[in-house]
Amino acid sequence: MKFLHLIWRNLLRRKIRTTFTALSMFVAFVLFGVLMAIRIALTMGVDVAGADRMLVFHKTSIIQPLPVSYAERIRATDGVADVTSATWFGGIYQDPANFFAQLAVDPDGFLRMYPEFAVADDQKKAWFEDRTGALVGRATLNRFNWKVGDRVPLQGTIWRLPGGEPWTFTIRGVYDASIKGADDTQFLFSKAYLAEVARKLFGPGSFGDATVGWYIIRIAEPERAAQIAKTIDTQFENSQAETKTNTEKAFAQSFANQVGDIGAIMTAIAAAVFFTIVLVAGNTMAQSIRERVGELAVLKTLGFTDALVLVLVLAESMMLAVGGGGTGLLAGWLLIWRGDPTGGLLPGFFITPRDLALGVALMLSLGLVAGTMPALQAMRLRIADALRRN
Amino acid sequence: MNWLAQLLAVVALNVRTIRQRLGSSLVAIVGIAGVVVVFVAVLSIGEGFTAALRDAAAPDRVIVMRSGSDTEMTSGLGAASATIVSEAAGVRRAADGPLASPELFVIVDVPKRATGTDANVPLRGVTPRAFDVKDEVRIVDGRRFAAGTSEIIVGRAAHGQFAGLEVGSQVKWGQNRWTVVGIFEANGTVAESEIWCDARVLQPAYRRGNSFQSVYVRLESPAAFDRFKDALTTDPRLNVTVKRETEYYAEQSRVLRRLITQLGYMIAALMGIGAVFGAINTMYSAVAARTREIATLRALGFGRFAVLSSVMTESLLLSLMGGVAGGLLAWIVFDGYQTSTMNWQSFSQVAFAFAVTPALLVQGVAYAVMMGLIGGVFPALRAARLPIVTALREL
């Protein structure tokens, strides 16, 4: 520790170079943080998918509805602990660009299925009691500056009211995602209301009255997921609506894959540049030590051991890397903490502790790599040679 | 004229001696090139996606959907409405009838080749007229589907991105078993992401009765649009929205384009700052390495301005090289790279190729030059201000 001052003075010798090297490290690690958040956002909830939840969709495609009558048959399937359903509403709030998911659900069953959606008890009660009430995720509520009690008009695109009238919902509550990354942008309302309107629009037994979008089931033993999926799908084979059952995780993964290479490519090329910046900074760090090899020889003349010289050089390089990179990572974290920069397109925009740890590991190894070569050089240096070089 | 001669002499000297500072110059070039690669590559995703949609639009083609629908997905039109639309004023007519194509648009699950997981691929039910209305569609392998059968033809990009769509193979969606009989091209546009079949076969398969989702119409001329639109919107039997295809596709690409450009600019800006710091370091060490030389020049009577300009020129030159190298690399690696992604508006896959356009390359190089300017200015000022006597004594 008594050499800390020496290391510090060494860093200050060329203030401009040290500053800018630290600054480029800083930027590189801000970038690293942002990229990790983008990666998480584009994989959309794969990591937070409940292990004990499965989704049952129409086999042909996700837009095809399933009969309401399936609910009881699925519930009766061995291994299924709970069943609820959701239907995509697809309404537009003022402008199609204001996209957020609206689902018609069974309020009680849905909240039971997603315990990570935290709602205050009085709001929950108010929502259950209002047929045209809505429960809105915190992110969407904030995005449009809505308040509980506001009336929100949504233009139906699938279920259009006569004359193009908008549907009007009263916001009865707001939910928070108690798990980081869970989707807090959804707009939920009662499927009984949807069914009632659908019956008026298209008659009894119609789309939206006798159908739901998909079923969500909870299974008691997650390790039996594959077998339960098979049992359910076999039941409905060769019926009017064949099903495809999958774990929520597998569904989230395939959805992320649909967004596709885009995220992977963006992270890959930006990672390449992260390393370019880091290499440039590392090179500068190495260069500034190479320039001082003569001085290091003087230190040795004064009686510093080889090992000590090695440690001193490494410590200097580490200090620069951790100083620049660490503040960068912190700044990146603060930047991301403010949430999605695109206004609602990337709901799960956050950085995981694992990625933070990865960042710290990266900057430590950078300090190590940038310092090792010149440090070894300095360590092996023979005093006479080095002094002669000047 | 004296200062100009001085300037040229110093710049020439600088440029000739770049080789001696190759290491750090190379680092600056690589850093800037890296930034430009990413900048151009990320934005070329947005360009490619937009181009696939934009180029699909013909100026005289119009799409008619149910009023209030912003995509075909949520639209619905009865057969009677579709007929009224086809007969409306302004529609181009061939000898055997109007150029109007009522269509159904649904999505089916098809596994993506790259990952093996299911993706939402558009399945379009069309009438034989579609091949006249969308005359850019040509069969390149196999043949058209036969009317009334469960035969499908597959767009070239869909064939490339999704598994199991070879000519002759069979796929099962719902109760129907479909046979692939042909592959089609459509000038690299969004239609190539689609699978086409006979609308009359698709209707019962998706229980759509005798209804469609959209009608594509070829107008007599682009100028006939207003007449056509007025005819439809004032017709009390209809409740439709009429859009030029150009307008419709511009809306379709809006969300993804916004996402990509916002993220792209954010990443590029951050990286640019990092690269500027790298450039500043490089130029400072270039100045430091030549302290004595600069002082000698000044002692010989070269002005501050000449010294300042020479450092700036070197910095600009390095960044220009970096910019050009980065642009070239992005163009070689990414231009034409085939991929597919979700079109958020229609909830279905669009296959497209990255497009590194000349405009993007110019932007990339301009960005590089800007980085060189900022990176060079402080070291240049420092070089110009060097006190001659102390500098001569250095080293």
Side-chain angles (χ1 to χ4, degrees):
Chain A
M1 275 300 116
K2 64 177 173 178
F3 293 113
L4 213 57
H5 184 67
L6 179 64
I7 299 169
W8 183 242
R9 296 303 300 181
N10 269 333
L11 278 172
L12 290 187
R13 298 166 51 101
R14 284 189 187 266
K15 289 199 192 67
I16 295 172
R17 173 148 66 194
T18 305
T19 311
F20 283 111
T21 311
L23 279 177
S24 34
M25 296 286 303
F26 173 87
V27 170
F29 277 90
V30 172
L31 187 66
F32 171 83
V34 171
L35 287 173
M36 289 300 124
I38 292 176
R39 193 181 58 82
I40 295 282
L42 289 179
T43 53
M44 283 180 301
V46 176
D47 293 334
V48 296
D52 59 349
R53 278 195 298 256
M54 300 186 83
L55 300 171
V56 185
F57 281 100
H58 192 289
K59 190 177 178 186
T60 305
S61 87
I62 191 168
I63 60 162
Q64 289 284 89
L66 292 172
V68 282
S69 60
Y70 281 18
E72 286 320 307
R73 291 174 65 189
I74 294 174
R75 191 185 300 280
T77 308
D78 174 47
V80 173
D82 196 3
V83 184
T84 192
S85 68
T87 305
W88 184 261
F89 179 66
I92 296 172
Y93 177 63
Q94 293 172 342
D95 185 307
N98 290 337
F99 175 85
F100 55 94
Q102 303 118 29
L103 303 178
V105 301
D106 162 31
D108 183 37
F110 195 82
L111 287 182
R112 214 169 48 232
M113 188 61 75
Y114 289 92
E116 65 263 42
F117 287 9
V119 195
D121 282 336
D122 54 329
Q123 294 185 355
K124 194 191 281 188
K125 190 162 167 283
W127 183 43
F128 286 177
E129 283 168 1
D130 183 358
R131 208 172 35 94
T132 64
L135 181 70
V136 185
R138 179 75 65 188
T140 297
L141 190 89
N142 291 345
R143 181 176 167 200
F144 299 112
N145 287 319
W146 292 337
K147 294 179 302 296
V148 172
D150 279 2
R151 289 168 69 76
V152 175
L154 292 181
Q155 187 65 54
T157 58
I158 303 169
W159 291 274
R160 282 176 53 77
L161 299 181
E165 285 291 305
W167 291 59
T168 309
F169 299 96
T170 313
I171 299 178
R172 289 299 174 201
V174 53
Y175 73 84
D176 288 285
S178 63
I179 298 179
K180 190 88 179 146
D183 186 355
D184 60 349
T185 66
Q186 295 178 4
F187 182 102
L188 307 166
F189 67 96
S190 167
K191 69 174 183 185
Y193 182 39
L194 177 73
E196 180 190 315
V197 177
R199 218 165 22 243
K200 263 189 232 152
L201 287 177
F202 309 126
S206 66
F207 182 60
D209 175 27
T211 66
V212 297
W214 60 93
Y215 288 100
I216 307 144
I217 63 179
R218 177 183 304 290
I219 53 178
E221 301 154 81
E223 56 281 3
R224 280 182 58 209
Q227 183 219 327
I228 294 170
K230 193 152 180 277
T231 317
I232 293 175
D233 292 343
T234 313
Q235 269 189 67
F236 301 114
E237 234 169 49
N238 298 317
S239 71
Q240 278 298 308
E242 294 187 44
T243 60
K244 187 170 62 186
T245 307
N246 233 325
T247 59
E248 195 172 70
K249 202 179 182 77
F251 174 75
Q253 184 63 57
S254 83
F255 204 83
N257 287 342
Q258 291 217 52
V259 174
D261 306 345
I262 306 294
I265 287 166
M266 265 168 91
T267 27
I269 50 188
V273 166
F274 167 73
F275 282 108
T276 319
I277 297 182
V278 161
L279 279 183
V280 171
N283 183 47
T284 321
M285 279 153 64
Q287 190 188 357
S288 81
I289 291 167
R290 268 201 303 277
E291 278 175 16
R292 295 205 320 267
V293 164
E295 267 168 51
L296 296 170
V298 174
L299 284 183
K300 286 184 165 186
T301 318
L302 292 176
F304 281 63
T305 61
D306 286 353
L308 188 56
V309 170
L310 180 85
V311 169
L312 279 179
V313 173
L314 273 183
E316 182 182 334
S317 154
M318 294 290 237
M319 203 187 254
L320 193 52
V322 173
T327 43
L329 200 56
L330 191 71
W333 181 72
L334 287 174
L335 193 73
I336 292 153
W337 193 50
R338 290 178 40 238
D340 175 18
T342 58
L345 294 175
L346 301 172
F349 194 76
F350 66 101
I351 187 162
T352 62
R354 208 188 60 190
D355 289 334
L356 281 178
L358 177 65
V360 172
L362 275 173
M363 73 183 76
L364 289 179
S365 24
L366 167 72
L368 210 61
V369 171
T372 302
M373 280 311 290
L376 282 176
Q377 233 178 345
M379 190 187 78
R380 294 205 195 103
L381 196 70
R382 292 193 9 232
I383 300 172
D385 291 345
L387 288 177
R388 203 182 308 131
R389 227 185 263 176
N390 263 356
Chain B
M1 273 327 274
N2 189 27
W3 62 269
L4 186 65
Q6 282 191 357
L7 178 63
L8 288 178
V10 188
V11 169
L13 176 71
N14 261 6
V15 172
R16 274 203 304 272
T17 55
I18 282 188
R19 259 191 318 165
Q20 291 163 19
R21 304 182 300 274
L22 201 61
S24 70
S25 303
L26 214 58
V27 165
I29 295 178
V30 168
I32 289 172
V35 175
V36 173
V37 169
V38 174
F39 179 77
V40 173
V42 170
L43 294 182
S44 76
I45 302 176
E47 285 292 327
F49 183 80
T50 311
L53 292 174
R54 183 192 56 220
D55 299 345
D60 58 347
R61 200 155 51 204
V62 168
I63 171 168
V64 181
M65 294 179 295
R66 179 171 68 178
S67 136
S69 301
D70 57 337
T71 73
E72 289 178 86
M73 192 77 143
T74 56
S75 173
L77 289 175
S81 302
T83 310
I84 299 172
V85 170
S86 312
E87 301 294 339
V91 178
R92 195 191 304 175
R93 302 186 75 89
D96 54 346
L99 290 191
S101 166
E103 301 183 353
L104 269 175
F105 179 93
V106 299
I107 57 182
V108 288
D109 274 359
V110 184
K112 217 167 165 157
R113 262 186 219 270
T115 58
T117 50
D118 283 341
N120 304 338
V121 180
L123 172 62
R124 188 181 286 280
V126 299
T127 53
R129 261 296 185 227
F131 294 95
D132 300 322
V133 174
K134 300 182 179 179
D135 53 5
E136 68 273 23
V137 170
R138 326 174 280 284
I139 300 288
V140 289
D141 188 11
R143 56 173 175 82
R144 288 186 189 178
F145 58 80
T149 65
S150 293
E151 289 179 343
I152 51 177
I153 55 174
V154 177
R156 199 183 44 177
H159 173 255
Q161 290 289 321
F162 309 109
L165 299 176
E166 321 304 328
V167 172
S169 60
Q170 288 205 332
V171 277
K172 186 168 181 287
W173 294 316
Q175 305 292 310
N176 293 51
R177 192 174 287 282
W178 306 83
T179 309
V180 182
V181 296
I183 308 286
F184 66 89
E185 275 185 2
N187 300 337
T189 60
V190 63
E192 288 187 9
S193 309
E194 298 175 345
I195 300 171
W196 283 19
C197 68
D198 187 346
R200 297 284 170 203
V201 180
L202 192 58
Q203 278 173 340
Y206 273 68
R207 267 167 281 152
R208 296 297 168 98
N210 187 13
S211 77
F212 299 92
Q213 271 153 306
S214 56
V215 183
Y216 283 82
V217 164
R218 210 84 211 214
L219 297 178
E220 285 160 1
S221 74
F225 179 74
D226 289 332
R227 187 154 52 97
F228 175 72
K229 185 174 181 176
D230 288 345
L232 294 195
T233 45
T234 54
D235 191 322
R237 294 168 297 172
L238 292 177
N239 186 17
V240 295
T241 173
V242 183
K243 281 185 179 147
R244 282 184 203 274
E245 213 176 28
T246 45
E247 184 192 352
Y248 176 67
Y249 281 130
E251 283 168 15
Q252 292 279 299
S253 63
R254 201 164 53 169
V255 172
L256 192 91
R257 196 186 167 83
R258 196 180 77 191
L259 177 74
I260 286 172
T261 40
Q262 279 181 352
L263 290 181
Y265 279 117
M266 186 168 82
I267 293 174
L270 271 176
M271 287 183 322
I273 297 171
V276 164
F277 292 149
I280 292 179
N281 256 339
T282 305
M283 292 317 295
Y284 266 125
S285 53
V287 170
R290 291 194 352 258
T291 305
R292 216 172 185 175
E293 183 186 314
I294 293 170
T296 311
L297 286 172
R298 297 268 285 113
L300 289 173
F302 282 87
R304 286 179 197 277
F305 179 72
V307 169
L308 184 130
S309 321
S310 75
V311 176
M312 286 302 290
T313 312
E314 180 174 337
S315 171
L316 284 179
L317 209 66
L318 293 180
S319 62
L320 196 64
M321 289 200 274
V324 170
L328 276 179
L329 192 66
W331 181 64
I332 293 167
V333 176
F334 292 105
D335 192 45
Y337 180 86
Q338 284 287 341
T339 186
S340 69
T341 192
M342 180 93 97
N343 179 10
W344 303 71
Q345 262 107 335
S346 67
F347 210 57
S348 60
Q349 290 279 308
V350 173
F352 64 97
F354 285 38
V356 178
T357 60
L360 273 186
L361 288 177
V362 170
Q363 267 188 57
V365 171
Y367 189 42
V369 168
M370 199 180 77
M371 288 189 274
L373 263 176
I374 301 173
V377 69
F378 297 104
L381 283 174
R382 178 191 164 92
R385 287 206 196 111
L386 273 180
I388 303 176
V389 182
T390 36
L392 273 176
R393 221 182 287 138
E394 279 235 336
L395 292 176

